[in-house]
């Protein structure tokens, strides 16, 4: 930083002179508003008091805060023949030097004629000017002085010692500790050379501390943690990718303001204690920064003064909206100066000034504001947007009339405020909220969530009408109660039979019939309308009306009241709400009837009798040809055929027609010649050959058990040998028939080849073998042999000769005269040798 560029020895002599002389006192004033692109004096008043005999031949004026090297300038204006001015662009410092013989007043007059100028039309913030009689730079935000001491190749440790040996008007020097942006800019960006400052991480790697000056007295203040990607809660001004500890083995542990040619001007990097060699010029030490002020025992000096200029800034704007055309209030705030209002983003003259503006808008509009000194319109402009919404269009007051319920003891009925919606607006995009008071509607508090209210305490309610925009309108709803008398007997009953196939007491009704009848009982001239409801509460609040165009399915089985709301289209006349329509669903007769009956020799007649009846009905019985045969509940027939019956209630509801068939039946005629028994190995198959020969009945079949396990099939399979009884039962109850059967173990083949296995054929399992005879025949009926069931059996010969391989037939004659027949096979095979 260009705090002071001097050789070390000369600097020490110069500082020593200040150390022994009494310091001058300098005061100045002039905090002023600045208009962009204008030229303005940096002070309004200045005074220098020099009690010392040492002459003051120079004054240093520096833009110490906010300096913009590209646009900002300090200029000496006017005619000052004994004053020499020197402007240093890099440091932002103007030096005024008077000739030795000129009086101090000429120097003071010159300060009055120093002006600030910026060529930046969008200049922002403020500029702080330090005015001092010494060369060290002064920063008003810290009250400290700073100088740059050139010393090529000096190490960090030597720079620290040298800085602490320097004084400035009695202030103790130390390596600079830059804890704010203003310090970093003054000692960095506005400096001519690179130099050491008082930061290091030599104690703990990565923990960077300020170890010089007041911070060093407390053991050091941490200003950075880590490397280039580290962090801080204080202030740091590292250059790009710094600190990097590039020479990690020897430790880049000391903070240095980077050479102006590298990276960010005035930013820091970390170097070794001696820096890089001179060959690496950008990182070779060239000096150090000394800071004065803040040390214990420092004297109080006033050799510097500061003034500032600042630009008013718009600090607050509020966008707003307008519902429909009209006046809108827009406002803004600024740090100082006057607020100007413009119609355009640039150019043009103000349309108004002040914190508020009330224009008329008919559409969405942007306004622009800037702040400046009187007559200064050059400041940056901020936009304020007025959003335009179409107005909410409603009837501002409507009347909602309530019809009291018939014979209601409550004089204060409940109003359904939603009924007022079609009276307020027909716009389907509007949203309606309801409130008991105007204040509630305005503040959107205590909303009536059910949209209902009683007029016991008030005759008004309020609707807040809105849409997707922030616009709304509040509508007053007047609440009125009225009722007129109805004709006596004002009731219409609709009756139907529950004949829709579902006996649940519910049915469809055409309510238009009842509407027409009720309207006919009212004065025709008043053009009444009827609205029907399921309940009194719905009718009172106009909720869930029964649609006119739909047939109605009653919800309460059997009987239901329909409540009617009667309103005049021509007048405000209102009739009591009441159950003026009654729906009756009459039951249809319910009974059961067997679908089948029979007559037979055992039961030559059959009684037709309904059962499970749900009431007392009238009946009509018809025979198959359609002739009415009886009107009694029970009816006895002796002739087979189909009969039908239906029942009628006193209300005329007719049941469905039910039918029964009377059949002629009888017991089975069971003969042994109608039964075929076939041997199937060790078991038998029993089959009834012709069912029609059994008789006219409907039969079922069982073996050995007359009371159980009957089957519909006429064949029994896998029946074991022995004596069995076949039972045939008439399903219609006309009797049971049985027949005893004898089944034996009959081999299907034998092999008379002399091998001792299966060489003889005989029948086993005959219950009484002593009284049975077995006869054997060939396929042509030739008698071959007679067997005793207890003998060994037939050996396959006839008259001593072997019979050929073939099928042979047998006949079993039992003692009771029963005869059974069947066949078997004779098989011969060669014996193995």
């Amino acid at each position: 930083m260009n705090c002071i560029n001097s050789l070390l020895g000369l600097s020490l002599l110069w500082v020593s002179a200040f150390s022994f002389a009494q310091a001058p006192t300098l005061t100045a004033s002039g905090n002023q508003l600045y208009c962009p692109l204008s030229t303005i004096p940096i002070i309004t008043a200045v005074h220098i008091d020099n009690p010392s005999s040492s002459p003051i031949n120079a004054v240093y004026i520096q833009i110490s805060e906010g300096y913009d090297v590209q646009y900002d300038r300090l200029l000496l204006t006017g005619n000052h023949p004994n004053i020499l001015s020197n402007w240093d662009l890099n440091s932002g410092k103007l030096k005024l030097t008077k000739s030795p013989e000129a009086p101090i007043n000429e120097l003071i007059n010159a300060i009055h004629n120093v002006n600030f100028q910026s060529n930046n039309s969008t200049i922002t913030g403020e500029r702080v000017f330090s005015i001092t009689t010494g060369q060290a730079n002064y920063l008003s935000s810290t009250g400290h002085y700073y100088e740059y001491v050139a010393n090529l190749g000096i190490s960090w440790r030597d720079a620290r010692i040298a800085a602490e040996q320097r004084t400035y008007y009695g202030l103790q020097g130390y390596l600079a500790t830059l804890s704010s942006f203003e310090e970093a800019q003054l000692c960095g960006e506005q400096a001519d050379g690179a130099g050491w400052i008082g930061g290091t991480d030599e104690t703990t790697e990565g923990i960077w501390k300020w170890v010089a000056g007041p911070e060093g007295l407390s053991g050091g203040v941490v200003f950075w943690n880590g490397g280039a990607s580290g962090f801080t809660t204080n202030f740091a001004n590292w250059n790009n990718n710094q600190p990097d500890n590039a020479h990690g083995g020897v430790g880049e542990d000391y903070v240095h303001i980077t050479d102006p040619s590298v990276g960010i001007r005035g930013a820091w990097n970390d170097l070794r204690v001696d820096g890089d060699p001179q060959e690496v010029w950008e990182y070779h030490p060239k000096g150090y920064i000394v800071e004065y002020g803040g040390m214990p025992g420092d004297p109080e000096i006033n050799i510097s003064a500061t003034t500032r200029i600042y630009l008013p800034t718009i600090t607050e704007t509020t966008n707003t909206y307008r519902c429909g055309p009209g006046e809108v209030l827009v406002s803004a705030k600024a740090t100082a100066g006057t607020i100007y209002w413009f119609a355009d983003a640039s150019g043009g003259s103000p349309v108004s000034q002040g914190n508020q503006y009330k224009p008329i808008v008919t559409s969405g509009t942007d306004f622009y504001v800037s702040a400046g000194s009187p007559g200064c319109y050059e400041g940056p402009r901020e936009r304020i947007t007025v959003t335009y919404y179409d107005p909410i269009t409603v009837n501002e007051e409507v009347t909602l009339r309530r019809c009291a319920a018939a014979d209601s003891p409550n004089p204060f009925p409940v109003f359904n405020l939603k009924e007022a919606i079609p009276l307020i607006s027909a716009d389907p995009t509007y949203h309606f909220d309801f409130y008991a008071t105007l204040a509630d509607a305005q503040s959107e508090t205590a909303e009536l969530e059910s949209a209902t209210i009683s007029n016991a305490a008030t005759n008004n309610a309020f609707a807040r009408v809105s849409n997707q925009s922030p616009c709304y309108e509040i509508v007053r709803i007047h609440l009125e109660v009225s009722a007129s008398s109805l004709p006596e007997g004002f009731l219409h009953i609709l009756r139907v039979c529950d004949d829709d196939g579902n006996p649940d007491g519910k049915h469809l009704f055409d309510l238009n019939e009842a509407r027409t009848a009720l309207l006919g009982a009212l004065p025709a001239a008043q053009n009444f309308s009827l609205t029907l409801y399921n309940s009194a509460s719905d009718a009172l609040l106009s909720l869930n009306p029964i649609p006119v165009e739909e047939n109605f399915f009653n919800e309460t089985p059997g009987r239901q009241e329909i409540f009617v709301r009667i309103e005049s289209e021509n007048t405000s006349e209102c009739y009591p709400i009441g159950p003026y329509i009654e729906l009756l669903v009459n039951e249809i007769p319910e009974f059961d009837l067997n679908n089948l009956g029979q007559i037979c020799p055992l039961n030559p007649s059959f009684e037709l009798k309904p059962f499970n009846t749900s009431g007392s009905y009238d009946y009509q019985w018809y025979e198959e040809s359609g002739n009415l045969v009886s009107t009694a509940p029970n009816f006895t027939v002796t002739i087979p055929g189909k009969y039908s019956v239906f029942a009628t209630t006193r209300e005329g509801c007719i049941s469905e027609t039910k039918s029964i068939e009377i059949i002629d039946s009888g017991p089975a005629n069971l003969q042994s010649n109608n039964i075929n028994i076939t041997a199937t190995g060790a078991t038998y198959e029993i089959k009834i050959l012709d069912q029609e020969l059994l008789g006219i009945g409907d039969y079922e079949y069982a073996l050995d058990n007359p009371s159980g396990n009957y089957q519909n099939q006429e064949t029994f399979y896998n029946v074991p040998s022995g004596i069995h009884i076949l039972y045939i039962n008439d399903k219609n109850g006309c009797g049971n028939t049985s027949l005893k059967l004898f089944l034996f173990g009959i081999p299907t083949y034998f092999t008379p080849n002399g091998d001792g296995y299966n060489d003889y054929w005989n029948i086993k399992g005959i219950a009484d073998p002593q009284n049975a005879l077995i006869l054997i025949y060939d396929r042509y009926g030739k008698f071959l042999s007679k067997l005793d069931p207890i003998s060994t059996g037939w050996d396959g010969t006839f008259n001593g000769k072997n019979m050929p391989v073939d099928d042979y037939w047998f006949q079993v004659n039992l003692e009771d005269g029963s005869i059974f027949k069947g066949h078997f096979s004779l098989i011969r095979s060669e014996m193995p040798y």
Side-chain angles (χ1 to χ4, degrees), residues 144-146 159-160 162-166 172-177 183 198 212-215 288-295 298:
H144 293 186
Y145 296 85
Y146 306 83
R160 181 178 182 181
E164 292 173 355
Q165 291 176 349
R166 299 176 70 85
Q172 173 64 51
Y174 52 88
L175 273 185
T177 57
E183 282 188 292
E215 291 89 343
Y288 55 94
I289 310 298
V290 185
E291 182 175 352
Y292 303 95
M295 292 294 286
D298 278 352

Side-chain angles (χ1 to χ4, degrees), residues 34 37-43 61-63 67 71-80 83-89 92-96 109-119 129:
Y34 178 68
L37 303 178
S38 68
T39 300
I40 185 173
I42 65 166
I43 64 165
I61 305 172
Q62 186 174 26
I63 307 174
Y67 178 51
Y71 296 106
D72 294 354
R73 302 291 183 269
L74 293 178
L75 307 171
L76 177 62
T77 62
N79 185 19
H80 304 278
I83 302 296
L84 176 65
S85 67
N86 181 26
W87 167 248
D88 187 335
L89 178 64
K93 180 183 288 189
L94 177 68
K95 179 180 179 182
L96 300 179
N109 289 336
I111 297 173
H112 276 284
N113 285 278
V114 173
N115 288 271
F116 170 79
Q117 183 185 69
S118 173
N119 295 323
F129 308 107

Side-chain angles (χ1 to χ4, degrees), residues 166-220:
R166 299 176 70 85
T167 60
Y168 185 67
Y169 287 103
L171 302 178
Q172 173 64 51
Y174 52 88
L175 273 185
T177 57
L178 310 182
S179 302
S180 68
F181 170 77
E182 292 78 16
E183 282 188 292
Q185 184 183 38
L186 189 66
C187 295
E189 295 181 36
Q190 295 175 242
D192 285 336
W196 297 111
I197 55 178
T200 178
D201 71 341
E202 61 183 353
T203 302
T204 304
E205 181 65 33
I207 305 299
W208 292 89
K209 297 181 180 180
W210 297 120
V211 296
E215 291 89 343
L217 297 177
S218 60

Side-chain angles (χ1 to χ4, degrees), residues 156-357:
W156 182 86
R157 291 193 180 98
D158 288 343
R160 181 178 182 181
I161 295 171
E164 292 173 355
Q165 291 176 349
R166 299 176 70 85
T167 60
Y168 185 67
Y169 287 103
L171 302 178
Q172 173 64 51
Y174 52 88
L175 273 185
T177 57
L178 310 182
S179 302
S180 68
F181 170 77
E182 292 78 16
E183 282 188 292
Q185 184 183 38
L186 189 66
C187 295
E189 295 181 36
Q190 295 175 242
D192 285 336
W196 297 111
I197 55 178
T200 178
D201 71 341
E202 61 183 353
T203 302
T204 304
E205 181 65 33
I207 305 299
W208 292 89
K209 297 181 180 180
W210 297 120
V211 296
E215 291 89 343
L217 297 177
S218 60
V221 174
V222 176
F223 66 89
W224 186 256
N225 296 272
S229 59
F231 65 95
T232 183
T233 57
N234 296 312
F235 173 79
N237 191 37
W238 293 106
N239 214 324
N240 297 327
N241 303 314
Q242 297 293 330
D244 60 359
N245 200 27
H247 300 277
V250 295
E252 289 195 335
D253 297 330
Y254 306 94
V255 184
H256 186 268
I257 294 179
T258 316
D259 187 90
S261 65
V262 178
I264 303 170
R265 183 176 177 85
W268 314 335
N269 69 332
D270 56 333
L271 292 180
R272 291 170 287 181
V273 67
D274 296 321
D276 284 1
Q278 191 168 354
E279 291 79 11
V280 189
W281 178 253
E282 294 83 356
Y283 300 101
H284 185 65
K286 302 173 183 66
Y288 55 94
I289 310 298
V290 185
E291 182 175 352
Y292 303 95
M295 292 294 286
D298 278 352
E300 183 177 347
I301 61 174
N302 296 297
I303 65 171
S304 298
T306 59
T307 63
R308 68 188 65 218
I309 63 169
Y310 55 93
L311 285 94
T313 303
I314 298 295
T315 59
E316 183 178 325
T317 60
T318 303
N319 294 327
T320 188
Y321 64 91
R322 173 70 197 184
C323 301
E327 184 180 83
V328 65
L329 173 64
V330 287
S331 62
K333 294 181 181 179
T335 55
T338 302
I339 295 177
Y340 298 99
W341 296 85
F342 299 88
D344 300 303
S346 62
S349 299
V351 295
S352 183
Q353 65 183 47
N355 288 6
Q356 295 182 340
Y357 178 39

Side-chain angles (χ1 to χ4, degrees), residues 338-566:
T338 302
I339 295 177
Y340 298 99
W341 296 85
F342 299 88
D344 300 303
S346 62
S349 299
V351 295
S352 183
Q353 65 183 47
N355 288 6
Q356 295 182 340
Y357 178 39
K358 297 180 179 180
I360 301 296
V361 297
T362 58
S363 61
T365 308
D366 289 333
F367 297 96
Y368 301 87
V369 290
S370 69
S373 56
C376 178
Y377 314 142
E378 303 301 326
R381 299 180 185 181
E382 298 284 341
R383 183 172 65 181
I384 296 179
T385 297
V386 177
T387 304
Y388 181 87
Y389 298 99
D390 291 331
I392 302 290
T393 304
V394 296
N395 293 319
E396 296 181 355
E397 293 192 17
V398 298
T399 298
L400 194 60
R401 293 181 176 87
R402 260 306 267 111
C403 300
D407 302 323
S408 172
N410 181 13
F412 304 110
V414 175
F415 285 81
N416 177 13
L417 299 178
K418 291 183 179 180
E419 291 184 49
I421 291 176
L423 305 176
I424 296 171
S425 174
D427 193 320
T429 65
Y430 287 173
H431 178 75
F432 298 81
D433 297 305
F434 299 95
Y435 301 86
T437 68
L438 177 61
D440 287 347
Q442 291 171 334
S443 62
E444 293 186 274
T445 57
E447 178 187 351
L448 299 173
E449 294 186 2
S450 63
T452 60
I453 189 172
S454 170
N455 70 327
T458 178
N459 290 323
N460 295 291
F462 298 87
R464 184 184 176 104
V465 187
S466 59
N467 55 16
Q468 296 299 318
S469 76
C471 303
Y472 70 92
E473 290 289 341
I474 295 177
V475 176
R476 181 183 297 271
I477 304 172
H478 298 284
L479 307 177
E480 293 184 2
V481 180
S482 64
S484 301
S485 60
L486 285 168
E488 186 176 353
F490 193 75
L491 174 67
H492 190 80
I493 301 175
L494 294 176
R495 296 180 175 88
V496 295
C497 294
D498 195 1
D499 57 2
D500 57 3
N502 184 15
D504 57 358
K506 298 181 180 181
H507 204 277
L508 283 177
F509 287 86
D510 181 4
L511 298 182
N512 286 322
E513 175 189 333
R515 284 191 178 92
T516 301
L518 295 180
L519 286 173
L522 294 170
Q526 293 189 23
N527 192 21
F528 286 99
S529 66
L530 305 184
T531 311
L532 310 185
Y533 299 88
N534 277 313
S535 67
S537 59
D538 281 356
L540 288 170
L541 300 176
S542 294
L543 296 175
N544 309 312
I546 298 172
V548 175
E549 67 279 1
E550 295 183 8
N551 286 331
F552 180 72
F553 204 102
N554 63 301
E555 298 178 355
T556 303
R559 178 181 178 275
Q560 181 172 340
E561 294 176 327
I562 299 297
F563 291 81
V564 184
R565 186 184 183 101
I566 308 169

